Amino acid sequence: LTENARAFHNKAEDESERLGPLLQNLTNAYLGPAFASGNTAGGHITLDQLPAVMNTSAPLCMRSSYQLLKDNHHLKHDARQQLGLFLKGIGVTMEDSVAFWREEFMKGGKTSEQFDKQYAYNIRHSYGVEGKRTNYTAYSCVKIINSTPVGDQAGHGCPYKHWDAGRLHSSLTSMRLSPAVVSDVVDKAKNHHYQVACMKVYEALHPTGIIEEGLNHPNQYFQNSLKYYEEKAEKEGKASGKTASKDKEMAKDKDASADASEATPMAVDPTAIAT
């Protein structure tokens, strides 16, 4: 029995050395949906829809990258990858993606020919139609958090990890979050609870929206936000329809009452009739 116990202990030590790194990596792995393309309720997002949905439904990491692109008409390679794959994941088609990036880079001074030569191939490659034809997936929170952006103009990374408290506070305030929420989020970020901080922002912007499985991916944030606003619009539409129907019925009853009044003969006092 003693020999068996010793053998089991030695085996356990050997296995811990082998499996330890695997288990450690597993805790840092993203195991949810791939978000390779178009996992949105609406199927895909058009370029006409993009500005509005980026403003209402994109998490801060993607919203800030998108705004930096709009301001500078250029993003560095890592930022282009992070934002580009996110756009792919929300359902922007390859053709629209090429058109989107071309327009922005041409605003920044690139010619159409320069864009095609320097950037178009990489976009098509990310959609799996060039090179090895790999269907690349959007970056998860873990991948973004573990990235190493340098400087405020890097354009990628996780704001809750990579931004200083002042910049984060200013950005959250511009999103019209309450001072209490802003303070709570900044505190969570300071204590390295980056995904919790992002979840706090989501909950503040979507009061009845719940992500029960926890927040682990920017596209998950976007998808749940889009669903929230679609359901909200549907409920408001139904409520508006009920109000309009009720007003219509009230107006109809009023008209019927008026018609009845006009059709009823006026009573005459017999004593008032001259003889």
Side-chain angles (χ1 to χ4, degrees), residues 136-166:
Y136 292 96
T137 60
Y139 290 176
S140 68
C141 291
V142 169
K143 185 175 180 66
I144 293 171
I145 288 169
N146 289 333
S147 65
T148 54
V150 178
D152 291 346
Q153 297 298 305
H156 68 289
C158 173
Y160 306 103
K161 178 181 180 181
H162 299 117
W163 290 7
D164 62 55

Side-chain angles (χ1 to χ4, degrees), residues 38 40-54 86-93 96-97 222 226 230:
T40 62
H44 72 273
I45 300 296
T46 68
L47 294 185
D48 288 338
Q49 297 170 324
L50 191 58
V53 297
M54 288 299 294
F86 170 80
L87 296 178
K88 177 190 175 187
I90 69 174
V92 177
T93 65
D96 278 352
S97 188
F222 179 89
L226 202 65
E230 287 173 349

Side-chain angles (χ1 to χ4, degrees):
L1 183 64
T2 302
E3 290 180 359
N4 287 337
R6 186 180 296 111
F8 177 82
H9 178 73
N10 292 337
K11 181 66 174 177
E13 286 187 341
D14 292 341
E15 289 299 301
S16 67
E17 292 180 1
R18 183 176 68 84
L19 296 176
L22 294 176
L23 294 174
Q24 179 63 36
N25 289 333
L26 184 61
T27 63
N28 292 325
Y30 170 70
L31 303 176
F35 296 107
S37 63
N39 290 336
T40 62
H44 72 273
I45 300 296
T46 68
L47 294 185
D48 288 338
Q49 297 170 324
L50 191 58
V53 297
M54 288 299 294
N55 183 56
T56 59
S57 295
L60 184 56
C61 55
M62 299 304 167
R63 185 193 297 229
S64 61
S65 293
Y66 179 80
Q67 191 57 54
L68 185 63
L69 174 64
K70 286 292 182 179
D71 291 343
N72 297 344
H73 309 300
H74 185 269
L75 284 179
K76 296 178 180 178
H77 174 75
D78 289 341
R80 293 198 304 273
Q81 287 294 102
Q82 178 174 300
L83 179 60
L85 290 173
F86 170 80
L87 296 178
K88 177 190 175 187
I90 69 174
V92 177
T93 65
M94 185 187 72
E95 292 77 13
D96 278 352
S97 188
V98 171
F100 167 75
W101 289 99
R102 174 182 279 113
E103 180 180 357
E104 289 301 325
F105 276 55
M106 287 181 68
K107 287 179 180 178
K110 296 290 184 182
T111 66
S112 182
E113 292 75 15
Q114 287 174 325
F115 175 83
D116 287 338
K117 184 177 181 180
Q118 299 175 30
Y119 305 103
Y121 176 89
N122 285 337
I123 297 171
R124 295 194 300 271
H125 186 270
S126 70
Y127 277 80
V129 299
E130 298 282 6
K132 296 180 180 179
R133 301 186 182 276
T134 301
N135 191 22
Y136 292 96
T137 60
Y139 290 176
S140 68
C141 291
V142 169
K143 185 175 180 66
I144 293 171
I145 288 169
N146 289 333
S147 65
T148 54
V150 178
D152 291 346
Q153 297 298 305
H156 68 289
C158 173
Y160 306 103
K161 178 181 180 181
H162 299 117
W163 290 7
D164 62 55
R167 183 184 179 191
L168 181 59
H169 189 285
S170 177
S171 185
L172 294 172
T173 301
S174 72
M175 295 168 67
R176 299 183 179 180
L177 296 171
S178 70
V181 170
V182 172
S183 178
D184 187 24
V185 171
V186 172
D187 183 66
K188 291 291 187 295
K190 283 182 179 178
N191 287 286
H192 312 295
H193 303 307
Y194 311 120
Q195 287 162 259
V196 174
C198 191
M199 186 66 147
K200 290 285 185 181
V201 172
Y202 179 90
E203 291 172 346
L205 295 175
H206 309 78
T208 59
I210 299 174
I211 304 179
E212 295 180 353
E213 65 273 26
L215 187 57
N216 299 294
H217 203 294
N219 291 73
Q220 177 197 17
Y221 181 113
F222 179 89
Q223 187 178 70
N224 280 273
S225 174
L226 202 65
K227 182 179 179 182
Y228 169 86
Y229 284 115
E230 287 173 349
E231 291 177 349
K232 181 180 179 182
E234 184 179 352
K235 289 178 182 178
E236 291 174 350
K238 287 182 179 179
S240 177
K242 288 181 180 178
T243 301
S245 179
K246 185 176 181 180
D247 290 345
K248 187 175 181 180
E249 288 296 324
M250 290 177 64
K252 189 176 180 180
D253 291 344
K254 185 176 181 181
D255 291 342
S257 177
D259 291 342
S261 297
E262 292 176 2
T264 303
M266 182 178 294
V268 179
D269 183 356
T271 63
I273 301 176
T275 55

